[in-house]
Amino acid sequence: MKKRIKIVIAVIVLAAAVCACMLVLRGKRISQMEREQEENVQDKSGQAKADKDDGEQMTEKKTEQERPDKEKIEWNAEWTYAENSKIHTGTAILYYTQSDVYPEPKTICINAGHGTEGGSSESTLCHPDGSPKVTGGSTSKGAVKATAINEGTTLLDGTSEADMNLKIAKLVKTKLLEEGFNVLMIRESKDAQLDNIARTVIANNNADCHISIHYDSTESDKGAFYISVPEDETYRSMEPVASNWEKHHHLGQALIARLEDEGIKIYGEGSMPIDLTQTSYSTIPSVDLEVGDRASSAAEETLESIADGITAGVYSYFK
């Protein structure tokens, strides 16, 4: 009997020992599995982060690669007032700044005046509503139509106005791009097949302001000025003039102030009222800027100062 009891006790002890061993082994296996799962999660998390970082880098590189230096702007017959243009087979070029000064850069249209072969043989409506001009100028008061674009004058040193306008426009383009502005160049060669209405309509739809560069036909070295909007109630109540003429004035005043700061001679109070085709059709701040006349200096340092003044004027207007 005692022997049987000892055997039972021994069996129970052995069974308990086996159970204990099994529990220990099971615990180790669970711990190992938990560690492996944790490592798995960490690996996946690390890989996901790495993939995300790689993805972001690839997106950044792709964005940089897809960001163009420039873009050709084609004519769109659906644009407002497009039907009034007679010459519009040319294209403008929109240059994108590579500077990160502004998160959303303004686009400045720089229009080198004149330079359209055959422009003087076509005529267009002076005002979009067909009303007559209220002032004189290159087109007489009372006229309903004007040449689509004229040839411009010639400086006393023999340089054509169109060529001088283009030279300054290119200087301004470079400076504006460096300052963080996009630049819409209407003309970059001797001949741009875009009349005054086409140039204005392109600017309206692709820029935040429009600056047309010119020289006056006088030869007294009268100084720089901008063409302001005449104080005529009928003209100022005509759209798009009614909604924008004050903006035109503010832009013109900003440009003249900064040109004066650069030492450029200013004519009178810096403005002359004429109802130009450009401002008659402009839906954005827009001025014809006469940077001098036929007798003005064409020295490189003068042209640089003019370009600096225009650039500073743009910055002043938008700040």
Side-chain angles (χ1 to χ4, degrees):
M1 182 71 178
K2 288 182 181 179
K3 185 176 180 182
R4 192 176 298 167
I5 291 172
K6 286 181 180 179
I7 291 171
V8 170
I9 291 172
V11 169
I12 291 171
V13 171
L14 181 60
V18 170
C19 288
C21 288
M22 289 177 68
L23 288 171
V24 170
L25 289 172
R26 185 172 181 274
K28 287 182 177 179
R29 278 202 305 273
I30 290 171
S31 297
Q32 180 64 26
M33 287 173 65
E34 288 175 346
R35 280 197 300 272
E36 288 175 355
Q37 287 176 351
E38 188 178 343
E39 288 171 0
N40 235 357
V41 170
Q42 289 175 350
D43 287 345
K44 286 181 180 178
S45 175
Q47 185 60 46
K49 186 177 184 304
D51 290 344
K52 182 181 177 184
D53 291 343
D54 289 344
E56 287 176 350
Q57 289 175 3
M58 287 175 67
T59 301
E60 287 173 4
K61 288 179 181 177
K62 187 177 179 182
T63 301
E64 289 174 4
Q65 290 171 355
E66 290 178 351
R67 184 182 187 184
D69 292 328
K70 59 184 179 180
E71 177 185 359
K72 184 182 290 187
I73 304 299
E74 304 280 356
W75 179 250
N76 185 340
E78 299 300 315
W79 284 332
T80 302
Y81 307 127
E83 70 277 6
N84 288 14
S85 168
K86 293 291 184 64
I87 304 173
H88 44 255
T89 56
T91 57
I93 303 295
L94 175 56
Y95 289 87
Y96 294 97
T97 181
Q98 300 305 304
S99 168
D100 57 0
V101 175
Y102 305 110
E104 295 183 7
K106 297 290 185 182
T107 297
I108 314 304
C109 174
I110 299 299
N111 177 2
H114 308 292
T116 296
E117 187 175 342
S120 58
S121 64
E122 295 282 356
S123 61
T124 56
L125 288 175
C126 297
H127 301 161
D129 66 354
S131 59
K133 272 177 64 67
V134 299
T135 69
S138 57
T139 302
S140 60
K141 179 179 179 179
V144 172
K145 290 188 175 183
T147 56
I149 194 162
N150 63 47
E151 295 178 359
T153 189
T154 302
L155 274 67
L156 295 185
D157 71 352
T159 307
S160 73
E161 181 196 351
D163 288 347
M164 192 61 77
N165 294 339
L166 182 56
K167 194 169 186 177
I168 294 174
K170 288 181 176 179
L171 289 173
V172 175
K173 177 190 80 171
T174 299
K175 293 176 186 294
L176 285 173
L177 288 171
E178 289 174 351
E179 291 298 319
F181 295 97
N182 297 329
V183 181
L184 176 67
M185 290 291 282
I186 292 294
R187 178 169 74 89
E188 291 192 282
S189 62
K190 285 185 174 292
D191 180 24
Q193 286 296 298
L194 296 167
D195 61 26
N196 286 326
I197 293 177
R199 296 177 186 213
T200 301
V201 170
I202 288 173
N204 287 347
N205 289 277
N206 295 279
D208 294 292
C209 77
H210 177 187
I211 301 169
S212 183
I213 298 171
H214 290 268
Y215 279 82
D216 192 61
S217 59
T218 59
E219 48 185 74
S220 58
D221 190 19
K222 68 199 300 181
F225 60 97
Y226 74 95
I227 304 299
S228 59
V229 177
E231 293 184 22
D232 182 281
E233 187 59 35
T234 302
Y235 181 67
R236 287 192 178 185
S237 63
M238 179 193 76
E239 290 293 353
V241 179
S243 298
N244 295 282
W245 70 265
E246 290 180 300
K247 299 173 189 175
H248 303 333
H249 280 297
H250 292 155
L251 175 60
Q253 289 163 356
L255 292 170
I256 289 300
R258 295 304 176 266
L259 284 170
E260 189 170 25
D261 289 345
E262 291 295 328
I264 300 302
K265 182 180 179 181
I266 304 301
Y267 170 68
E269 295 183 359
S271 66
M272 181 183 293
I274 302 176
D275 52 330
L276 293 177
T277 299
Q278 177 182 329
T279 43
S280 297
Y281 284 84
S282 288
T283 59
I284 57 174
S286 177
V287 294
D288 173 313
L289 182 66
E290 305 281 330
V291 297
D293 70 6
R294 296 182 65 207
S296 296
S297 170
E300 293 297 329
E301 56 268 28
T302 301
L303 302 187
E304 285 285 347
S305 294
I306 290 171
D308 284 337
I310 293 172
T311 303
V314 168
Y315 174 80
S316 174
Y317 179 76
F318 283 111
K319 73 177 181 180

